[in-house]
Amino acid sequence: MPDNIYRPTIDLNGEWAFAYTLEPPTDEFRTIDELQQAGMTAYPCQVPGNFELDLQAVGLIGEPFYGMNIAALQKYEAAHIWYFRRFAGEQHAGMIPELVFEGLDCYADVYLNGQHIGSCDNMLVEQVIPVEGLLREENELLIHIRPAIDEARRYEYPPLLQSLGANYDALYVRKAPHMYGWDIMPRALSAGLWRPAALQFRPVERLEQFYVETLNIADDHSRATLAAHFDARLTGTPTDVYEIQLTGRCGASRFAHRQRMLFKAGTFRFTVENPALWWPRGRGEAALYACEVSLWKNGEQIDGREFRCGIRTVALDRTSVTDPQGNGEFCFRVNGEKVFVLGTNWVPVDAYHSRDAARIPPIMEMVDDLGINMIRCWGGNVYENDLFYDLCDEQGVLVWQDFAMACSIYPQDADFRARLADEVRRVVRRLRQHPCIALWSGDNECDASYLWSGRNLDPNSNVLTRQVLPGVLLDEDACRPYLPSSPYIDPVAFQSDQSLLPENHLWGPRDYYKSQYYQRSLCHFASEIGYHGCPPVRSIRRFISPGKLWPYQNNEEWLLHASSPVPGVDLYDYRIELMAKQVRELFGEVPDTLEEFAFASQVSQAEAFKFFIELFRGSKWRRTGIIWWNLIDGWPQFSDAIVDYYMEKKLAYSFIKRSQAPLCLMLHEPENWKQALVACNDTRDDLPLTYTLRDVESGEVLAQGHGVARADSVTPVGEIPFSMGARRFYLITWSSRLGQGVNHYLAGNPPFSLAAYRSWLERAGLLAVDAGA
């Protein structure tokens, strides 16, 4: 039952044209002829696209990501832009035509055949404009996009509101927050049709909403109870007989239900015996049912669609605070089982979002390769492409989904509340069928922003995350966990020390990665933690001009690509020097060549990520998960990402892959002159193993033997003596029914010799990345 039988579609992607002016237009153009008669120059472009990429494609600007180029594009923030094309019309009896823009950025007026048919003010959600009675055999479509900075100036900004230095003009504007400049992204406001466009025909009588949710699963997993919610548009008479039918199949498991509809909306429950359950990675198969829902009138099918669903339950056990003894909790449960989270933060994969879709598949291959079981979709981003969530469903990757607000105190007025509620309702309806979605989160660090204000403001007064969002979620997706902010400061936590939060972002001073700040952190779950490292030198040469490659000091290109998004304004200028300090802390000095500096920074980053992950894994279940920051850059820069924009992997990638293996042997930090060797097993089965631990330089075997890694736990398997004065590099190897495994441990206190460290890596066979290449 292909969707296009009931939803015929004309693809409006591909060749378009655009024109622009940096001056406010004196007239409102409604047709292509009016635009051309005004002397506007038309240029070819592609949809999906972005304004800056369109300018680059016709030679009006250079590569935005090279050198200082992106900073010179700020003048285009004042541009009025028109996108236009012609297309042939169609008619489909009994169907209503609608223009569908999956992503239109941002303030836009849409004209069809010279008639104004709609306006848009949100780039983050799909825009649907009815065009019934307006189509001709030949049609022209014209879209005028107004400057977002002009629209932002129309609002008043009461003293309550707060944002980062470059982001005040983002507060009322529903664009991705990062576009205004962030410490990980450039200022790139952009505009355009950044996701696909189409003319779609929908049946007059149709299913508007259909959603299947799992209500409960028997303790022995032998039975699941599901509920299907529907809402339809019906125009028949009281004597017409309407029915709804649902079928699903996953391997040998099947379900089917058909019933008469007594009203346009309703809910029906049904039971699936011996269901194929959807499990996150490492816990079982991510089973997906292929489903069909159909609408029938007087025995004839009049609408239908295909979708996938997963049978699973998800819960979040959390307390308001914790304490030094660990009397607190922040733990995800799927199908009743606790899941230890090994996750990454998902930030913008490109500063120009029309390129996102092409980048998602190779990034998700890395997610699978690294053993990641949760992705946190950060609130400074767009809501990702459908493909992303489909792949997470297939790979068993849980998704923590922030709503698109970050590091600010947002407007609380009635108009903004209504706009946000509409956005969230659309997002939830689009995504709720995905079993991968484990958590809705109100925002990123907006609770913390109330404390950053210096006014002792209570974040629980935020009506957006305490009233508006919960109200929408109660309507649309009541069974899925909701966290108002990350980190969440509830009324109890607000009266407590913020170090007692059970879920926290561990940034702090960003000093030596084994400092007391990290080792004594009390949180059960770290949803942000990271460390800086340079890209490989071959990548740096692609975005830094030859005269600015070295040194890094007083280097405007390094600062811009660090990212400090507004040259001459010290927003995040500290980040390059911070990376240098981290290198100096580990090796006692900062190398004096680009190649050696890049390598040293990658070592510092790789050892830090390894330590953070093993700190949390090694204290399972006192700690319940870590979502490190982050996998890949959204533009070329010096950052916490372990893969650069060009998809070149830093040294940390291979370190993390080893530390996140389902079975990993690791050394605890020294205590009483000894170090415990432990086996962290994230599988459901006990795993017999043999192991060897040796000093790479001397070849001395310090420990070897047999042991059993107990299921889903951390098991001591041996110990070795430890001396603070010795600087050594240990190689740990083991064998189990899962195969061969390897890990390492850098013993002793800094400073270490960079040359010795490189030699140790080479002898151990662990130098997977040549940072100097």
Side-chain angles (χ1 to χ4, degrees):
M1 186 187 64
D3 277 349
N4 60 10
I5 293 177
Y6 299 100
R7 301 287 196 281
T9 299
I10 297 176
D11 187 343
L12 296 181
N13 298 318
E15 295 182 1
W16 284 57
F18 77 102
Y20 74 95
T21 176
L22 299 182
E23 299 294 331
T26 56
D27 298 305
E28 181 62 32
F29 306 119
R30 296 173 174 267
T31 66
I32 299 174
D33 285 344
E34 290 177 2
L35 197 67
Q36 293 173 337
Q37 290 167 9
M40 302 287 287
T41 302
Y43 303 94
C45 67
Q46 292 287 311
V47 169
N50 285 88
F51 178 46
E52 295 89 339
L53 301 182
D54 298 334
L55 292 172
Q56 181 189 5
V58 297
L60 294 177
I61 64 170
E63 163 56 58
F65 291 169
Y66 185 76
M68 299 296 292
N69 286 355
I70 203 161
L73 301 183
Q74 192 167 353
K75 67 180 182 180
Y76 291 103
E77 294 178 7
H80 286 256
I81 313 162
W82 292 264
Y83 286 92
F84 48 93
R85 67 161 292 165
R86 293 183 171 91
F87 65 94
E90 294 181 4
Q91 299 295 329
H92 293 271
M95 293 195 171
I96 298 173
E98 297 171 332
L99 282 169
V100 179
F101 302 101
E102 293 185 31
L104 182 50
D105 183 10
C106 168
Y107 291 92
D109 295 305
V110 183
Y111 299 90
L112 179 64
N113 300 323
Q115 182 173 335
H116 180 259
I117 58 171
S119 297
C120 311
D121 66 355
N122 192 323
M123 77 163 284
L124 301 169
V125 292
E126 181 180 82
Q127 306 291 336
V128 179
I129 303 175
V131 292
E132 188 174 12
L134 302 177
L135 291 175
R136 304 172 182 171
E137 289 188 9
E138 294 294 327
N139 301 274
E140 69 169 44
L141 183 58
L142 177 71
I143 301 172
H144 174 201
I145 299 179
R146 307 188 305 277
I149 58 170
D150 288 352
E151 299 300 323
R153 290 171 181 150
R154 301 179 187 276
Y155 294 95
E156 293 184 353
Y157 293 76
L160 170 68
L161 305 189
Q162 178 173 297
S163 195
L164 301 177
N167 306 124
Y168 266 84
D169 46 343
L171 288 172
Y172 282 95
V173 178
R174 298 312 293 157
K175 291 167 65 75
H178 78 83
M179 301 173 81
Y180 290 81
W182 218 267
D183 61 3
I184 61 163
M185 294 297 291
R187 185 174 174 96
L189 287 197
S190 200
L193 285 78
W194 65 280
R195 276 184 176 158
L199 177 66
Q200 183 183 86
F201 295 83
R202 296 201 296 167
V204 173
E205 295 190 287
R206 60 185 180 266
L207 286 167
E208 296 279 24
Q209 298 291 328
F210 190 82
Y211 170 45
V212 177
E213 65 176 331
T214 305
L215 297 181
N216 58 72
I217 297 171
D219 291 343
D220 61 359
H221 300 163
S222 63
R223 179 183 301 104
T225 303
L226 280 67
H229 310 278
F230 61 87
D231 194 355
R233 184 179 188 270
L234 307 180
T235 62
T237 69
T239 59
D240 288 318
V241 176
Y242 292 93
E243 295 173 285
I244 190 166
Q245 177 176 291
L246 172 66
T247 63
R249 64 188 185 282
C250 179
S253 180
R254 300 282 194 277
F255 61 76
H257 181 90
R258 182 165 178 156
Q259 72 174 48
R260 183 172 177 179
M261 296 170 60
L262 302 180
F263 184 60
K264 77 181 192 78
T267 296
F268 59 84
R269 295 186 183 185
F270 58 100
T271 299
V272 181
E273 300 292 337
N274 300 312
L277 299 183
W278 187 94
W279 290 97
R281 179 191 174 98
R283 309 304 298 177
E285 180 186 358
L288 293 168
Y289 283 78
C291 300
E292 296 181 7
V293 59
S294 51
L295 178 65
W296 300 72
K297 180 179 182 180
N298 299 327
E300 179 183 354
Q301 184 174 346
I302 58 174
D303 193 15
R305 69 178 68 163
E306 296 177 341
F307 63 96
R308 299 188 301 184
C309 77
I311 298 178
R312 65 100 184 90
T313 60
V314 61
L316 173 62
D317 299 333
R318 66 167 296 277
T319 56
S320 297
V321 293
T322 188
D323 63 23
Q325 291 72 46
N327 295 310
E329 187 64 286
F330 192 98
C331 185
F332 287 93
R333 292 180 180 269
V334 177
N335 302 329
E337 291 188 5
K338 293 196 296 185
V339 175
F340 188 91
V341 168
L342 293 170
T344 187
N345 279 273
W346 186 276
V347 303
V349 299
D350 203 295
Y352 299 122
H353 286 290
S354 63
R355 300 193 287 208
D356 289 356
R359 289 173 63 81
I360 287 172
I363 298 172
M364 289 302 297
E365 289 178 8
M366 297 182 215
V367 167
D368 187 61
D369 185 48
L370 288 167
I372 290 166
N373 64 8
M374 177 175 273
I375 288 172
R376 175 176 177 253
C377 289
W378 173 66
N381 198 5
V382 297
Y383 303 107
E384 261 318 339
N385 189 287
D386 288 341
L387 173 63
F388 166 78
Y389 300 98
D390 288 341
L391 292 174
C392 288
D393 285 345
E394 294 168 10
Q395 292 178 206
V397 177
L398 297 164
V399 173
W400 166 322
Q401 180 66 58
D402 283 359
F403 292 109
M405 295 183 286
C407 300
S408 299
I409 299 177
Y410 281 85
Q412 306 285 297
D413 60 84
D415 176 69
F416 189 82
R417 295 200 303 266
R419 291 169 58 206
L420 182 64
D422 177 68
E423 172 188 315
V424 170
R425 193 176 302 276
R426 294 196 214 181
V427 169
V428 172
R429 286 181 175 180
R430 177 167 78 92
L431 300 181
R432 63 188 173 188
Q433 196 60 72
H434 290 280
C436 65
I437 303 285
L439 176 74
W440 300 115
S441 176
D443 58 54
N444 172 77
E445 294 182 353
C446 289
D447 274 16
S449 295
Y450 277 74
L451 306 187
W452 299 340
S453 71
R455 293 175 283 177
N456 197 36
L457 297 176
D458 185 351
N460 296 286
S461 65
N462 183 353
V463 297
L464 304 178
T465 57
R466 272 52 172 194
Q467 296 178 28
V468 176
L469 270 59
V472 173
L473 292 170
L474 183 62
D475 280 347
E476 303 290 346
D477 193 23
C479 289
R480 211 173 317 242
Y482 169 65
L483 195 70
S485 187
S486 177
Y488 174 34
I489 303 170
D490 69 14
V492 174
F494 180 62
Q495 301 298 329
S496 305
D497 189 314
Q498 301 311 301
S499 67
L500 301 179
L501 293 174
E503 171 260 336
N504 217 336
H505 296 182
L506 296 182
W507 294 111
R510 307 188 206 189
D511 54 351
Y512 178 45
Y513 58 82
K514 289 189 180 182
S515 73
Q516 294 303 302
Y517 173 79
Y518 298 108
Q519 293 205 52
R520 293 184 177 179
S521 62
L522 299 178
C523 64
H524 297 260
F525 194 105
S527 44
E528 287 187 14
I529 187 171
Y531 221 68
H532 283 83
C534 286
V537 173
R538 58 183 172 271
S539 292
I540 297 173
R541 295 183 186 278
R542 296 179 68 174
F543 65 88
I544 299 294
S545 63
K548 294 290 186 178
L549 283 170
W550 191 255
Y552 68 83
Q553 296 94 337
N554 302 313
N555 189 322
E556 62 178 356
E557 291 189 20
W558 278 61
L559 288 177
L560 181 65
H561 289 266
S563 296
S564 194
V566 183
V569 180
D570 185 357
L571 294 176
Y572 312 112
D573 287 5
Y574 69 90
R575 292 170 68 85
I576 294 296
E577 184 54 38
L578 173 62
M579 182 167 58
K581 289 170 64 177
Q582 292 166 344
V583 168
R584 187 180 296 111
E585 185 70 18
L586 187 58
F587 295 111
E589 61 182 3
V590 176
D592 58 7
T593 68
L594 174 61
E595 288 73 17
E596 287 294 281
F597 180 78
F599 176 72
S601 74
Q602 287 200 17
V603 170
S604 171
Q605 180 190 47
E607 288 287 351
F609 273 97
K610 169 182 158 57
F611 176 76
F612 297 154
I613 292 167
E614 294 180 8
L615 176 68
F616 275 74
R617 284 196 79 181
S619 52
K620 179 183 182 178
W621 291 98
R622 165 57 182 85
R623 292 184 170 98
T624 54
I626 179 171
I627 304 179
W628 40 266
W629 186 286
N630 65 301
L631 179 55
I632 191 166
D633 284 322
W635 86 304
Q637 65 176 340
F638 307 91
S639 74
D640 303 274
I642 66 166
V643 180
D644 72 24
Y645 176 75
Y646 307 108
M647 299 199 181
E648 297 277 1
K649 298 169 183 174
K650 303 179 188 178
L651 187 63
Y653 184 97
S654 59
F655 280 35
I656 290 173
K657 181 175 179 178
R658 290 191 289 271
S659 292
Q660 295 195 160
L663 173 64
C664 184
L665 268 63
M666 59 188 71
L667 281 167
H668 277 171
E669 287 306 292
E671 187 174 354
N672 299 326
W673 302 95
K674 295 179 180 179
Q675 279 189 278
L677 178 65
V678 300
C680 185
N681 178 6
D682 283 352
T683 76
R684 286 200 179 97
D685 302 317
D686 289 350
L687 294 173
L689 57 87
T690 60
Y691 66 88
T692 301
L693 187 156
R694 65 181 177 88
D695 182 304
V696 165
E697 186 161 351
S698 68
E700 177 188 1
V701 174
L702 287 85
Q704 61 182 352
H706 303 268
V708 176
R710 297 302 178 189
D712 223 9
S713 59
V714 178
T715 308
V717 294
E719 65 179 23
I720 62 173
F722 180 83
S723 171
M724 287 289 185
R727 297 182 181 92
R728 308 174 78 177
F729 192 98
Y730 299 141
L731 187 68
I732 310 165
T733 57
W734 65 90
S735 177
S736 75
R737 67 175 178 80
L738 299 183
Q740 306 297 314
V742 62
N743 197 8
H744 79 273
Y745 182 84
L746 182 62
N749 288 327
F752 294 90
S753 162
L754 181 60
Y757 187 94
R758 185 191 289 270
S759 173
W760 293 335
L761 274 187
E762 290 172 345
R763 292 186 188 187
L766 302 180
L767 189 57
V769 174
D770 181 4

